[in-house]
Amino acid sequence: MSNNVTNHPEDMYTEDSTAFRNVYPSMSCHTFVALPQATVDNQIIFGKNSNRPSDEVQEVVFFPRATYQQGDQVECTYIKIDQVGKTHAVVLSRPSWLWGAEMGANEHGVCIGNEAVWGKEKPSDKEALLGMDLVRLGLERSQTAEEAVDVLAGLLEKYGQGGNCMEDEVIFTHDNSFLIADKKEAWVLETVGKHWAAEKVEEEMRNISNQLSITTKINKEHPELRSYAKDQGWWDGKTEFDFTAVYSHQDTTQMNETDNRHCTGLQLLNKHKGNITIEIMMDILRDKESGTNMEGGFMTTGSMISILPMNSSLHCIHFFTGTPYPERSVFKPFIFVQNMRQLLKTSSPSFGPDDPVKKKPRFQTKPDRKHELYKKHEVAAATMEINQEKGAKLLQDIKALEKKQIEKAKHVLENGIPDTTEVVHIFSDCVNEEIAIYSKT
């Protein structure tokens, strides 16, 4: 894999923390949630940038609800696990070599995004569930954000987390944190090995970004979270228990520095507190100065925003780019309604059992996973880079397309959906319009 990262976070377990600090800034994803007090229209707004290796393709895929028989299993990225009797419909933005997802939503309005984190214990390279597998499983198996917390905790306890998190022979592992939202509330779940802590979000806004962030406010936890820390000598059992201070590898004073990625993300939210709209969340995800929108060896390969109205009669609307460079991409709306079809032009080729991810030893070759939209966008992005006049016209056209989609979404949020056939293909129709714009280059 070709990227600019020369050190791995695992180095911190054999060297001093300098190795971790060197690699950490180049690998930060960002996940945000703004609760109704912070938004304009009594909505919860969820957003995430997925920052991954620059040569990795991210696809947007839909899976309908399904039923299964007792004893059925589901094959995740590396392992098979017991399937449940019923799964919910999901839309996912995922690295195309994975079974799981970086971020996504389900038909009940549950949204989940995950972040790589590292604690005092070395992440396992033994193949288990990846954090991205847990995102998809949580969406398929939960109807609320709190239920998703319980689902993820149960899966973590039963199967563990571990395995290579990149499509590469070089082993790269991490633990995971999750920001989970629904139409009523949001939760943060953070893990170190099999141990975890969960916090219900009470403040107006919350973000996570590749570091532990739960401190003393813990609403749910692994039953051995404190006793294990005490046995390891990380906590004296007397002072107030602070999950991040106890379990994080980092010096907690560094986490509060103003140039810290987590802090800069929170500053972006605070800048717009009380006035956050979908357009503002798009601006946040496109912000380069803060590092939220990344370029380089690790870059923003996909972005997602969800509008979750408090009114239970209204539909949630989920926007995905399916392409890198959010400032040069279109956020396209997706709405769960009946008679959905697979999203063909944002779905990467399938290689089945011949996929190098499935064969052992894994990752011996890397196939071309580019989907149709990705290919067209790749050419257009290069045009924007090298031809100022054509680039400006392309950007103007895709921004006009995006604005039109936002207006459609606002109409749905204000008036509902009298006829679902009008929106059943809203995402695919927008993809077709976007491709038509790129085809003019």
Side-chain angles (χ1 to χ4, degrees):
M1 173 180 297
S2 174
N3 60 60
N4 293 339
V5 178
T6 56
N7 295 313
H8 277 208
E10 288 90 334
D11 295 341
M12 66 180 156
Y13 298 100
T14 55
E15 302 174 8
D16 64 24
S17 61
T18 302
F20 179 84
R21 290 197 298 271
N22 285 342
V23 71
Y24 172 83
S26 65
M27 305 185 62
S28 242
C29 291
H30 284 277
T31 310
F32 303 90
V33 69
L35 298 185
Q37 310 95 297
T39 66
V40 170
D41 295 315
N42 197 37
Q43 303 162 342
I44 291 177
I45 300 180
F46 174 95
K48 179 180 174 179
N49 271 354
S50 173
N51 297 333
R52 302 277 305 176
S54 59
D55 62 349
E56 186 177 77
V57 177
Q58 195 145 154
E59 60 179 349
V60 180
V61 288
F62 164 76
F63 296 102
R65 66 181 71 154
T67 57
Y68 300 91
Q69 301 297 317
Q70 187 173 1
D72 284 351
Q73 291 195 308
V74 54
E75 185 174 0
C76 302
T77 302
Y78 296 129
I79 66 170
K80 291 182 179 180
I81 67 170
D82 295 334
Q83 183 58 283
V84 292
K86 181 177 74 172
T87 57
H88 308 300
V90 297
V91 60
L92 309 172
S93 184
R94 67 179 187 180
S96 55
W97 63 274
L98 284 167
W99 179 86
E102 278 278 297
M103 50 201 173
N106 72 17
E107 60 184 305
H108 303 290
V110 179
C111 301
I112 307 178
N114 88 305
E115 307 273 339
V117 294
W118 295 270
K120 285 182 177 172
E121 294 201 313
K122 182 177 181 179
S124 175
D125 57 10
K126 180 181 178 181
E127 291 184 348
L129 291 175
L130 295 178
M132 289 74 82
D133 294 333
L134 289 166
V135 169
R136 178 173 174 178
L137 290 165
L139 292 170
E140 289 185 339
R141 301 182 179 196
S142 64
Q143 297 188 56
T144 67
E146 183 173 4
E147 184 182 9
V149 171
D150 297 335
V151 166
L152 296 184
L155 290 166
L156 189 64
E157 182 68 25
K158 187 172 183 179
Y159 300 104
Q161 60 181 324
N164 196 354
C165 299
M166 293 187 189
E167 189 182 12
D168 198 289
E169 289 183 90
V170 176
I171 300 298
F172 173 79
T173 60
H174 57 72
D175 291 326
N176 295 272
S177 67
F178 305 88
L179 183 53
I180 309 168
D182 61 22
K183 298 177 79 168
K184 294 183 178 180
E185 62 188 23
W187 286 75
V188 175
L189 171 66
E190 298 185 334
T191 72
V192 177
K194 72 173 186 177
H195 297 96
W196 57 271
E199 173 193 348
K200 182 179 178 181
V201 177
E202 301 290 354
E203 57 266 44
E204 297 170 304
M205 303 165 297
R206 188 71 153 82
N207 66 306
I208 58 173
S209 183
N210 294 104
Q211 66 178 54
L212 299 181
S213 62
I214 294 175
T215 56
T216 58
K217 183 181 179 297
I218 301 173
N219 297 95
K220 299 186 179 209
E221 64 186 71
H222 187 282
E224 298 173 359
L225 181 72
R226 300 177 192 233
S227 61
Y228 183 78
K230 190 175 179 181
D231 290 344
Q232 296 299 307
W234 302 339
W235 180 54
D236 61 13
K238 299 175 183 177
T239 56
E240 185 178 25
F241 185 82
D242 181 321
F243 176 68
T244 293
V246 171
Y247 273 86
S248 177
H249 181 271
Q250 287 180 274
D251 180 349
T252 53
T253 60
Q254 297 174 6
M255 298 181 181
N256 296 317
E257 294 175 354
T258 55
D259 61 348
N260 172 276
R261 296 289 298 279
H262 179 266
C263 289
T264 57
L266 185 57
Q267 287 166 9
L268 287 173
L269 288 174
N270 279 323
K271 180 180 178 181
H272 303 285
K273 183 168 66 174
N275 298 296
I276 295 177
T277 62
I278 182 173
E279 293 95 337
I280 292 296
M281 186 61 77
M282 288 178 179
D283 288 343
I284 288 173
L285 296 187
R286 287 168 166 151
D287 189 273
K288 287 189 174 181
E289 185 177 352
S290 66
T292 302
N293 175 14
M294 292 181 60
E295 290 187 352
F298 269 69
M299 63 177 290
T300 300
T301 56
S303 303
M304 167 187 174
I305 296 174
S306 291
I307 305 175
L308 313 175
M310 299 293 284
N311 185 339
S312 60
S313 68
L314 295 177
H315 285 74
C316 300
I317 304 180
H318 313 283
F319 288 78
F320 297 91
T321 61
T323 52
Y325 308 108
E327 79 283 7
R328 287 177 275 176
S329 291
V330 177
F331 280 91
K332 296 165 282 291
F334 177 98
I335 304 174
F336 284 96
V337 291
Q338 296 296 318
N339 301 316
M340 304 290 303
R341 295 201 302 253
Q342 183 53 275
L343 312 176
L344 297 178
K345 294 184 179 180
T346 57
S347 296
S348 294
S350 175
F351 300 95
D354 294 325
D355 197 307
V357 177
K358 296 299 181 185
K359 292 182 175 181
K360 293 186 178 180
R362 303 191 195 276
F363 308 120
Q364 297 302 295
T365 59
K366 185 180 291 187
D368 184 354
R369 300 186 185 275
K370 296 174 183 177
H371 50 74
E372 184 174 347
L373 176 63
Y374 187 99
K375 292 177 182 178
K376 296 291 187 181
H377 178 270
E378 187 175 41
V379 174
T383 299
M384 293 182 203
E385 191 74 29
I386 62 177
N387 188 315
Q388 186 174 359
E389 184 177 349
K390 283 188 177 181
K393 181 62 168 64
L394 271 173
L395 193 60
Q396 180 183 20
D397 289 347
I398 65 173
K399 292 307 175 190
L401 173 60
E402 182 178 88
K403 184 178 180 180
K404 183 173 71 172
Q405 304 308 311
I406 293 172
E407 292 305 314
K408 286 182 181 179
K410 289 181 177 179
H411 181 78
V412 167
L413 290 167
E414 292 172 3
N415 302 286
I417 308 176
D419 183 1
T420 59
T421 61
E422 295 180 1
V423 299
V424 66
H425 303 308
I426 190 171
F427 181 87
S428 296
D429 289 346
C430 185
V431 169
N432 288 335
E433 289 189 63
E434 185 179 358
I435 288 175
I437 293 171
Y438 297 149
S439 297
K440 295 175 184 177
T441 57

